Amino acid sequence: KAKPSPFAILDEVDAALDEANVRRLIALIREFTDRSQFLVVTHAKTTMEAADVLFGVTMEEPGVSKKVGVKLTDFEKKEE
């Protein structure tokens, strides 16, 4: 907390976690977002829903990869 890194890369840190612990991890990451930026590599839907921006790669046609970026702050959050 004294000298936080300006950014952190987390690769599949949520893969082995159950839903409750994924939510705890998201809360912990949110605590640090005022001091650091996080790049999280994940396949977990819950983690992606908590993001501000999503980046990904899709293959619309076989053999042709396409980069995709979506700024979730442009969309209204779905009420649960």
Side-chain angles (χ1 to χ4, degrees):
K1 289 184 178 182
K3 291 179 81 176
S5 174
F7 65 92
I9 299 172
L10 306 174
D11 186 10
E12 296 286 346
V13 293
D14 56 355
L17 302 177
D18 62 2
E19 191 69 23
N21 284 315
V22 168
R23 292 192 187 279
R24 287 185 189 112
L25 173 66
I26 292 167
L28 180 67
I29 291 171
R30 288 244 182 245
E31 284 182 36
F32 288 93
T33 56
D34 63 332
R35 299 179 289 278
S36 299
Q37 293 183 26
F38 290 85
L39 184 128
V40 181
V41 178
T42 186
H43 291 94
K45 181 180 174 185
T46 304
T47 306
M48 287 188 261
E49 287 174 348
D52 295 326
V53 179
L54 293 176
F55 294 102
V57 177
T58 186
M59 195 178 295
E60 291 180 355
E61 48 186 280
V64 180
S65 297
K66 179 180 175 184
K67 295 181 282 184
V68 179
V70 178
K71 194 173 198 177
L72 298 178
T73 54
D74 290 345
F75 299 96
E76 189 173 313
K77 291 276 185 182
K78 180 180 163 185
E79 296 293 325
E80 293 184 36

Coordinates of all heavy atoms in Angstrom, one line a residue:
K1 N 0.8 -1.2 0.0 CA 0.0 0.0 0.0 C 0.9 1.3 0.0 O 0.4 2.3 -0.4 CB -0.9 0.0 1.2 CG -2.1 -1.0 1.1 CD -3.0 -0.9 2.3 CE -4.1 -1.8 2.2 NZ -5.1 -1.7 3.3
A2 N 2.1 1.2 0.5 CA 3.0 2.4 0.6 C 3.4 2.9 -0.8 O 3.4 4.0 -1.1 CB 4.2 2.1 1.4
K3 N 3.9 2.0 -1.7 CA 4.3 2.3 -3.0 C 3.7 1.4 -4.0 O 4.4 0.5 -4.5 CB 5.8 2.2 -3.1 CG 6.6 3.3 -2.3 CD 8.0 3.2 -2.4 CE 8.5 3.8 -3.6 NZ 10.0 3.7 -3.8
P4 N 2.4 1.6 -4.3 CA 1.7 0.6 -5.2 C 2.3 0.7 -6.7 O 2.7 1.8 -7.1 CB 0.3 1.0 -5.2 CG 0.3 2.5 -4.8 CD 1.5 2.6 -3.9
S5 N 2.3 -0.4 -7.3 CA 2.6 -0.4 -8.8 C 1.5 0.3 -9.6 O 0.4 0.2 -9.2 CB 2.7 -1.9 -9.2 OG 2.9 -2.0 -10.6
P6 N 1.9 1.0 -10.6 CA 0.9 1.7 -11.4 C 0.0 0.7 -12.2 O -1.2 1.1 -12.5 CB 1.7 2.5 -12.4 CG 3.1 1.9 -12.5 CD 3.3 1.2 -11.1
F7 N 0.4 -0.5 -12.4 CA -0.5 -1.5 -13.0 C -0.1 -2.9 -12.6 O 1.0 -3.1 -12.1 CB -0.5 -1.4 -14.5 CG 0.8 -1.7 -15.2 CD1 1.1 -3.0 -15.6 CD2 1.8 -0.7 -15.4 CE1 2.4 -3.3 -16.1 CE2 3.0 -1.0 -15.9 CZ 3.3 -2.3 -16.3
A8 N -1.0 -3.8 -12.7 CA -0.8 -5.2 -12.4 C -1.4 -6.1 -13.4 O -2.5 -5.8 -13.9 CB -1.3 -5.6 -11.0
I9 N -0.8 -7.2 -13.8 CA -1.3 -8.2 -14.7 C -1.6 -9.4 -13.9 O -0.7 -10.0 -13.3 CB -0.3 -8.4 -15.9 CG1 0.0 -7.2 -16.6 CG2 -0.9 -9.5 -16.8 CD1 1.0 -7.3 -17.6
L10 N -2.9 -9.9 -14.0 CA -3.3 -11.1 -13.3 C -3.8 -12.1 -14.3 O -4.8 -11.8 -15.1 CB -4.4 -10.7 -12.3 CG -4.1 -9.6 -11.3 CD1 -5.4 -9.3 -10.5 CD2 -3.0 -10.0 -10.4
D11 N -3.2 -13.2 -14.4 CA -3.5 -14.2 -15.4 C -4.2 -15.4 -14.8 O -3.6 -16.2 -14.1 CB -2.2 -14.7 -16.1 CG -2.5 -15.6 -17.3 OD1 -3.6 -15.8 -17.7 OD2 -1.5 -16.2 -17.8
E12 N -5.5 -15.5 -15.1 CA -6.4 -16.6 -14.7 C -6.3 -16.8 -13.2 O -6.4 -18.0 -12.7 CB -6.0 -17.9 -15.4 CG -6.2 -17.9 -16.9 CD -7.7 -18.0 -17.3 OE1 -8.5 -18.3 -16.5 OE2 -7.9 -17.7 -18.5
V13 N -6.2 -15.8 -12.4 CA -6.1 -15.9 -10.9 C -7.5 -16.4 -10.3 O -7.5 -16.9 -9.2 CB -5.7 -14.6 -10.2 CG1 -4.3 -14.2 -10.6 CG2 -6.7 -13.5 -10.5
D14 N -8.5 -16.3 -11.1 CA -9.8 -16.7 -10.6 C -10.2 -18.1 -11.1 O -11.3 -18.6 -10.7 CB -10.9 -15.7 -11.0 CG -10.9 -15.5 -12.6 OD1 -10.1 -16.1 -13.2 OD2 -11.8 -14.8 -13.0
A15 N -9.4 -18.8 -11.8 CA -9.7 -20.1 -12.4 C -10.1 -21.1 -11.4 O -11.1 -21.9 -11.6 CB -8.6 -20.6 -13.3
A16 N -9.4 -21.2 -10.3 CA -9.7 -22.3 -9.3 C -10.7 -21.8 -8.2 O -10.9 -22.6 -7.3 CB -8.3 -22.7 -8.7
L17 N -11.2 -20.6 -8.3 CA -12.1 -20.1 -7.3 C -13.5 -20.4 -7.5 O -14.0 -20.4 -8.7 CB -11.9 -18.6 -7.1 CG -10.5 -18.1 -6.8 CD1 -10.5 -16.6 -6.8 CD2 -10.0 -18.7 -5.5
D18 N -14.3 -20.6 -6.5 CA -15.7 -20.7 -6.6 C -16.3 -19.3 -6.7 O -15.6 -18.3 -6.6 CB -16.4 -21.5 -5.5 CG -16.2 -20.9 -4.1 OD1 -15.6 -19.8 -4.0 OD2 -16.6 -21.5 -3.1
E19 N -17.6 -19.3 -7.0 CA -18.3 -18.0 -7.2 C -18.2 -17.0 -6.1 O -17.9 -15.8 -6.3 CB -19.8 -18.2 -7.5 CG -20.5 -17.0 -8.0 CD -20.1 -16.6 -9.4 OE1 -19.6 -17.5 -10.2 OE2 -20.3 -15.4 -9.8
A20 N -18.3 -17.5 -4.8 CA -18.2 -16.6 -3.7 C -16.8 -16.0 -3.6 O -16.6 -14.8 -3.3 CB -18.5 -17.3 -2.4
N21 N -15.8 -16.8 -3.8 CA -14.4 -16.3 -3.8 C -14.0 -15.4 -4.9 O -13.2 -14.5 -4.8 CB -13.4 -17.5 -3.6 CG -13.4 -18.0 -2.2 OD1 -13.4 -17.2 -1.2 ND2 -13.5 -19.3 -2.0
V22 N -14.6 -15.6 -6.1 CA -14.4 -14.7 -7.2 C -15.0 -13.4 -6.9 O -14.3 -12.3 -7.1 CB -15.1 -15.3 -8.5 CG1 -15.2 -14.2 -9.6 CG2 -14.4 -16.5 -9.0
R23 N -16.1 -13.3 -6.2 CA -16.7 -12.0 -5.8 C -15.8 -11.3 -4.8 O -15.6 -10.1 -4.8 CB -18.1 -12.2 -5.3 CG -19.1 -12.6 -6.4 CD -20.5 -12.5 -5.9 NE -21.4 -13.1 -6.9 CZ -21.8 -12.4 -8.0 NH1 -21.4 -11.2 -8.3 NH2 -22.6 -13.0 -8.9
R24 N -15.2 -12.1 -3.9 CA -14.2 -11.5 -2.9 C -13.0 -11.0 -3.6 O -12.5 -9.9 -3.3 CB -13.8 -12.6 -1.9 CG -14.9 -12.9 -0.9 CD -14.4 -13.8 0.2 NE -15.5 -14.3 1.0 CZ -16.0 -15.5 1.0 NH1 -15.4 -16.5 0.3 NH2 -17.0 -15.9 1.8
L25 N -12.5 -11.7 -4.6 CA -11.3 -11.2 -5.4 C -11.7 -9.9 -6.1 O -10.9 -9.0 -6.1 CB -10.9 -12.3 -6.4 CG -9.8 -11.9 -7.3 CD1 -8.5 -11.7 -6.6 CD2 -9.6 -13.0 -8.4
I26 N -12.8 -9.9 -6.7 CA -13.2 -8.7 -7.4 C -13.3 -7.5 -6.4 O -12.8 -6.4 -6.7 CB -14.6 -8.9 -8.1 CG1 -14.4 -9.9 -9.3 CG2 -15.2 -7.5 -8.6 CD1 -15.7 -10.4 -9.8
A27 N -13.9 -7.7 -5.2 CA -13.9 -6.6 -4.2 C -12.5 -6.2 -3.8 O -12.3 -5.0 -3.7 CB -14.7 -7.1 -3.0
L28 N -11.6 -7.1 -3.7 CA -10.2 -6.8 -3.3 C -9.6 -6.0 -4.4 O -8.9 -4.9 -4.1 CB -9.4 -8.0 -3.0 CG -8.0 -7.8 -2.6 CD1 -7.9 -7.2 -1.3 CD2 -7.3 -9.2 -2.6
I29 N -9.8 -6.4 -5.7 CA -9.2 -5.6 -6.8 C -9.8 -4.2 -6.8 O -9.0 -3.2 -7.0 CB -9.4 -6.4 -8.1 CG1 -8.6 -7.7 -8.2 CG2 -9.1 -5.5 -9.3 CD1 -8.9 -8.6 -9.3
R30 N -11.1 -4.1 -6.6 CA -11.7 -2.8 -6.6 C -11.1 -1.8 -5.6 O -11.0 -0.6 -5.8 CB -13.2 -2.9 -6.4 CG -13.9 -3.5 -7.6 CD -14.9 -2.5 -8.2 NE -15.6 -3.1 -9.3 CZ -15.5 -2.6 -10.5 NH1 -14.7 -1.6 -10.8 NH2 -16.1 -3.2 -11.5
E31 N -10.7 -2.4 -4.4 CA -10.1 -1.6 -3.4 C -8.8 -0.9 -3.8 O -8.5 0.2 -3.4 CB -9.8 -2.4 -2.1 CG -10.9 -2.8 -1.3 CD -10.5 -3.6 -0.1 OE1 -9.4 -3.4 0.5 OE2 -11.2 -4.5 0.3
F32 N -8.1 -1.5 -4.8 CA -6.8 -1.0 -5.2 C -6.9 -0.2 -6.5 O -5.9 0.4 -7.0 CB -5.8 -2.1 -5.4 CG -5.4 -2.7 -4.1 CD1 -6.0 -3.8 -3.5 CD2 -4.3 -2.1 -3.4 CE1 -5.6 -4.3 -2.3 CE2 -3.9 -2.7 -2.2 CZ -4.5 -3.8 -1.7
T33 N -8.1 -0.1 -7.1 CA -8.2 0.6 -8.4 C -8.0 2.1 -8.4 O -7.8 2.7 -9.4 CB -9.5 0.3 -9.1 OG1 -10.6 0.7 -8.3 CG2 -9.6 -1.2 -9.5
D34 N -8.0 2.7 -7.2 CA -7.7 4.1 -7.1 C -6.2 4.4 -7.2 O -5.8 5.5 -7.4 CB -8.4 4.7 -5.8 CG -7.8 4.1 -4.6 OD1 -7.3 3.0 -4.6 OD2 -7.8 4.8 -3.5
R35 N -5.4 3.3 -7.0 CA -4.0 3.5 -7.0 C -3.3 2.7 -8.1 O -2.2 3.0 -8.4 CB -3.4 3.0 -5.6 CG -3.9 3.7 -4.4 CD -3.3 3.1 -3.1 NE -3.8 1.8 -2.7 CZ -5.0 1.6 -2.1 NH1 -5.8 2.6 -1.8 NH2 -5.3 0.4 -1.8
S36 N -3.9 1.7 -8.6 CA -3.3 0.9 -9.7 C -4.4 0.5 -10.7 O -5.6 0.5 -10.4 CB -2.8 -0.4 -9.1 OG -1.8 -0.2 -8.1
Q37 N -3.9 0.2 -11.9 CA -4.7 -0.3 -13.0 C -4.5 -1.8 -13.1 O -3.4 -2.3 -12.9 CB -4.4 0.3 -14.3 CG -4.8 1.8 -14.4 CD -4.5 2.3 -15.8 OE1 -4.5 1.6 -16.8 NE2 -4.3 3.6 -15.8
F38 N -5.5 -2.6 -13.4 CA -5.4 -4.1 -13.4 C -5.8 -4.6 -14.8 O -6.8 -4.2 -15.4 CB -6.3 -4.7 -12.4 CG -5.9 -4.5 -11.0 CD1 -6.2 -3.4 -10.3 CD2 -5.1 -5.4 -10.4 CE1 -5.8 -3.1 -9.0 CE2 -4.6 -5.2 -9.1 CZ -5.0 -4.1 -8.4
L39 N -5.0 -5.4 -15.3 CA -5.2 -6.2 -16.6 C -5.5 -7.6 -16.1 O -4.5 -8.2 -15.6 CB -4.1 -6.1 -17.6 CG -4.4 -6.7 -18.9 CD1 -4.1 -5.8 -20.0 CD2 -3.6 -8.0 -19.0
V40 N -6.7 -8.1 -16.3 CA -7.0 -9.4 -15.8 C -7.3 -10.3 -17.0 O -8.3 -10.1 -17.7 CB -8.2 -9.4 -14.8 CG1 -8.5 -10.8 -14.3 CG2 -7.9 -8.4 -13.7
V41 N -6.6 -11.4 -17.1 CA -6.8 -12.4 -18.2 C -7.7 -13.4 -17.5 O -7.4 -14.0 -16.5 CB -5.5 -13.1 -18.6 CG1 -5.8 -14.1 -19.7 CG2 -4.6 -12.0 -19.2
T42 N -8.9 -13.6 -18.1 CA -9.9 -14.5 -17.5 C -10.9 -15.1 -18.5 O -11.0 -14.6 -19.6 CB -10.7 -13.8 -16.4 OG1 -11.5 -14.7 -15.7 CG2 -11.6 -12.7 -17.0
H43 N -11.5 -16.2 -18.1 CA -12.7 -16.7 -18.9 C -13.9 -16.7 -18.0 O -15.0 -17.2 -18.4 CB -12.4 -18.2 -19.3 CG -11.3 -18.2 -20.4 ND1 -10.0 -18.5 -20.1 CD2 -11.4 -18.1 -21.7 CE1 -9.3 -18.5 -21.2 NE2 -10.1 -18.3 -22.2
A44 N -13.8 -16.2 -16.8 CA -14.9 -16.2 -15.8 C -15.9 -15.1 -16.1 O -15.5 -13.9 -16.1 CB -14.4 -16.1 -14.4
K45 N -17.1 -15.4 -16.3 CA -18.2 -14.4 -16.6 C -18.3 -13.4 -15.5 O -18.4 -12.2 -15.8 CB -19.5 -15.2 -16.8 CG -20.6 -14.3 -17.2 CD -21.9 -15.1 -17.4 CE -23.1 -14.2 -17.6 NZ -24.3 -14.9 -17.6
T46 N -18.3 -13.8 -14.3 CA -18.4 -12.9 -13.2 C -17.3 -11.8 -13.2 O -17.5 -10.7 -12.9 CB -18.4 -13.6 -11.8 OG1 -19.5 -14.6 -11.9 CG2 -18.7 -12.7 -10.7
T47 N -16.1 -12.3 -13.4 CA -14.9 -11.4 -13.4 C -15.1 -10.4 -14.6 O -14.8 -9.2 -14.5 CB -13.6 -12.1 -13.5 OG1 -13.6 -13.1 -12.5 CG2 -12.4 -11.2 -13.4
M48 N -15.5 -10.9 -15.8 CA -15.7 -10.0 -16.9 C -16.8 -9.0 -16.7 O -16.6 -7.8 -17.1 CB -16.0 -10.8 -18.2 CG -14.8 -11.6 -18.7 SD -15.1 -12.3 -20.3 CE -15.4 -14.0 -19.8
E49 N -17.8 -9.4 -16.0 CA -18.9 -8.4 -15.7 C -18.5 -7.3 -14.8 O -19.0 -6.2 -14.9 CB -20.1 -9.2 -15.0 CG -20.8 -10.1 -16.0 CD -21.9 -10.9 -15.3 OE1 -21.9 -11.0 -14.0 OE2 -22.7 -11.5 -15.9
A50 N -17.4 -7.5 -14.0 CA -17.0 -6.5 -13.1 C -16.0 -5.5 -13.8 O -15.7 -4.4 -13.2 CB -16.2 -7.1 -11.9
A51 N -15.6 -5.8 -15.0 CA -14.6 -5.0 -15.7 C -15.2 -3.7 -16.2 O -16.4 -3.5 -16.4 CB -14.0 -5.7 -16.9
D52 N -14.3 -2.7 -16.4 CA -14.7 -1.4 -17.1 C -14.6 -1.5 -18.6 O -15.4 -0.9 -19.3 CB -13.9 -0.3 -16.6 CG -14.1 0.0 -15.1 OD1 -15.2 -0.2 -14.6 OD2 -13.1 0.4 -14.4
V53 N -13.6 -2.3 -19.0 CA -13.3 -2.4 -20.5 C -12.9 -3.9 -20.7 O -12.2 -4.5 -19.9 CB -12.1 -1.5 -20.9 CG1 -11.8 -1.7 -22.4 CG2 -12.4 -0.1 -20.6
L54 N -13.4 -4.5 -21.8 CA -13.1 -5.8 -22.2 C -12.4 -5.8 -23.5 O -12.7 -5.0 -24.4 CB -14.4 -6.7 -22.4 CG -15.2 -7.0 -21.2 CD1 -16.4 -7.8 -21.6 CD2 -14.4 -7.8 -20.2
F55 N -11.3 -6.6 -23.6 CA -10.6 -6.7 -24.9 C -10.5 -8.2 -25.1 O -10.4 -9.0 -24.2 CB -9.1 -6.2 -24.8 CG -9.1 -4.7 -24.6 CD1 -8.8 -4.2 -23.3 CD2 -9.2 -3.9 -25.6 CE1 -8.7 -2.8 -23.2 CE2 -9.2 -2.5 -25.5 CZ -8.9 -2.0 -24.2
G56 N -10.7 -8.6 -26.4 CA -10.7 -10.0 -26.7 C -10.3 -10.2 -28.2 O -10.1 -9.3 -28.9
V57 N -10.2 -11.5 -28.5 CA -10.0 -11.9 -29.9 C -11.1 -12.9 -30.3 O -11.4 -13.8 -29.6 CB -8.6 -12.6 -30.0 CG1 -8.4 -13.1 -31.4 CG2 -7.5 -11.7 -29.6
T58 N -11.6 -12.6 -31.5 CA -12.7 -13.5 -32.0 C -12.3 -14.0 -33.4 O -11.4 -13.4 -34.0 CB -14.0 -12.8 -32.0 OG1 -15.1 -13.7 -32.4 CG2 -14.0 -11.6 -33.0
M59 N -13.0 -15.0 -33.8 CA -12.7 -15.5 -35.2 C -14.0 -15.7 -35.9 O -14.7 -16.7 -35.8 CB -12.0 -16.9 -35.1 CG -11.4 -17.3 -36.4 SD -10.5 -18.9 -36.3 CE -9.2 -18.5 -35.2
E60 N -14.4 -14.6 -36.6 CA -15.7 -14.5 -37.2 C -15.7 -15.5 -38.4 O -16.8 -16.1 -38.7 CB -16.0 -13.1 -37.7 CG -16.3 -12.2 -36.6 CD -16.7 -10.8 -37.0 OE1 -16.6 -10.5 -38.2 OE2 -17.0 -10.0 -36.2
E61 N -14.6 -15.6 -39.1 CA -14.5 -16.6 -40.2 C -13.3 -17.4 -39.9 O -12.3 -16.9 -39.4 CB -14.5 -15.9 -41.6 CG -13.5 -14.8 -41.7 CD -13.7 -14.1 -43.0 OE1 -13.1 -14.6 -44.0 OE2 -14.3 -13.0 -43.1
P62 N -13.3 -18.7 -40.3 CA -12.2 -19.6 -40.0 C -10.8 -19.0 -40.5 O -10.7 -18.6 -41.6 CB -12.5 -20.9 -40.7 CG -14.0 -20.8 -40.9 CD -14.3 -19.4 -41.0
G63 N -9.8 -19.0 -39.5 CA -8.5 -18.6 -39.9 C -8.2 -17.1 -39.8 O -7.1 -16.7 -40.0
V64 N -9.3 -16.3 -39.5 CA -9.1 -14.8 -39.5 C -9.5 -14.3 -38.1 O -10.6 -14.3 -37.7 CB -10.0 -14.1 -40.6 CG1 -9.8 -12.6 -40.5 CG2 -9.7 -14.7 -42.0
S65 N -8.4 -13.9 -37.4 CA -8.7 -13.4 -36.0 C -8.9 -11.9 -36.1 O -8.4 -11.2 -36.9 CB -7.4 -13.7 -35.1 OG -7.2 -15.0 -35.0
K66 N -9.8 -11.5 -35.1 CA -10.1 -10.1 -35.1 C -10.1 -9.6 -33.6 O -10.6 -10.3 -32.8 CB -11.5 -9.9 -35.7 CG -12.1 -8.5 -35.6 CD -13.5 -8.4 -36.2 CE -14.1 -7.1 -36.1 NZ -15.4 -7.0 -36.6
K67 N -9.5 -8.4 -33.4 CA -9.4 -7.9 -32.0 C -10.7 -7.1 -31.8 O -11.2 -6.5 -32.7 CB -8.2 -6.9 -31.9 CG -6.9 -7.6 -32.0 CD -5.8 -6.7 -31.8 CE -5.6 -5.9 -33.1 NZ -4.5 -5.0 -33.1
V68 N -11.2 -7.3 -30.5 CA -12.5 -6.6 -30.2 C -12.3 -5.9 -28.8 O -11.6 -6.4 -27.9 CB -13.6 -7.7 -30.0 CG1 -14.9 -7.0 -29.6 CG2 -13.8 -8.4 -31.3
G69 N -12.8 -4.7 -28.7 CA -12.7 -4.0 -27.5 C -14.1 -3.4 -27.2 O -14.8 -2.8 -28.1
V70 N -14.6 -3.5 -25.9 CA -15.9 -3.0 -25.5 C -15.7 -2.2 -24.2 O -15.1 -2.7 -23.2 CB -16.9 -4.1 -25.3 CG1 -18.2 -3.5 -24.8 CG2 -17.1 -4.9 -26.5
K71 N -16.1 -1.0 -24.2 CA -16.0 -0.1 -23.0 C -17.4 -0.3 -22.3 O -18.4 0.2 -22.7 CB -15.8 1.3 -23.3 CG -15.4 2.2 -22.2 CD -15.0 3.5 -22.7 CE -14.2 4.3 -21.7 NZ -13.7 5.6 -22.1
L72 N -17.4 -1.1 -21.2 CA -18.6 -1.4 -20.5 C -19.2 -0.2 -19.8 O -20.4 -0.2 -19.5 CB -18.4 -2.5 -19.5 CG -18.0 -3.9 -20.2 CD1 -17.7 -4.9 -19.1 CD2 -19.0 -4.3 -21.2
T73 N -18.4 0.8 -19.5 CA -19.0 2.0 -18.9 C -19.9 2.8 -19.8 O -20.7 3.6 -19.3 CB -17.8 2.9 -18.4 OG1 -17.0 3.2 -19.5 CG2 -17.1 2.3 -17.2
D74 N -19.9 2.5 -21.1 CA -20.8 3.1 -22.1 C -22.2 2.5 -22.0 O -23.1 3.1 -22.5 CB -20.3 2.9 -23.5 CG -19.0 3.8 -23.7 OD1 -18.7 4.7 -22.9 OD2 -18.4 3.5 -24.7
F75 N -22.3 1.4 -21.3 CA -23.6 0.7 -21.2 C -24.1 0.8 -19.8 O -23.4 0.7 -18.8 CB -23.5 -0.8 -21.6 CG -23.0 -1.0 -23.0 CD1 -21.7 -1.2 -23.3 CD2 -23.9 -1.0 -24.1 CE1 -21.2 -1.4 -24.6 CE2 -23.5 -1.1 -25.4 CZ -22.1 -1.3 -25.6
E76 N -25.4 0.8 -19.7 CA -26.0 0.8 -18.3 C -25.9 -0.5 -17.7 O -26.2 -1.5 -18.4 CB -27.5 1.3 -18.5 CG -28.2 1.5 -17.2 CD -29.6 2.1 -17.4 OE1 -29.7 3.0 -18.2 OE2 -30.5 1.6 -16.7
K77 N -25.5 -0.6 -16.4 CA -25.4 -1.9 -15.7 C -26.8 -2.5 -15.6 O -27.7 -1.8 -15.2 CB -24.8 -1.7 -14.4 CG -23.3 -1.3 -14.4 CD -22.5 -2.6 -14.6 CE -21.0 -2.2 -14.5 NZ -20.1 -3.3 -14.7
K78 N -26.9 -3.8 -15.8 CA -28.1 -4.6 -15.6 C -28.4 -4.7 -14.2 O -27.6 -5.1 -13.4 CB -27.9 -5.9 -16.3 CG -29.2 -6.8 -16.2 CD -28.9 -8.1 -16.9 CE -29.8 -9.2 -16.4 NZ -29.5 -10.5 -17.0
E79 N -29.6 -4.4 -13.7 CA -30.0 -4.5 -12.4 C -30.3 -6.0 -12.0 O -30.9 -6.7 -12.8 CB -31.3 -3.7 -12.1 CG -31.2 -2.3 -12.2 CD -30.2 -1.6 -11.2 OE1 -30.3 -2.1 -10.0 OE2 -29.5 -0.7 -11.5
E80 N -29.7 -6.4 -10.9 CA -29.9 -7.9 -10.5 C -31.0 -8.0 -9.5 O -31.3 -7.2 -8.7 CB -28.6 -8.4 -9.9 CG -27.6 -8.5 -11.0 CD -26.3 -9.2 -10.6 OE1 -26.4 -10.1 -9.7 OE2 -25.3 -8.7 -11.0

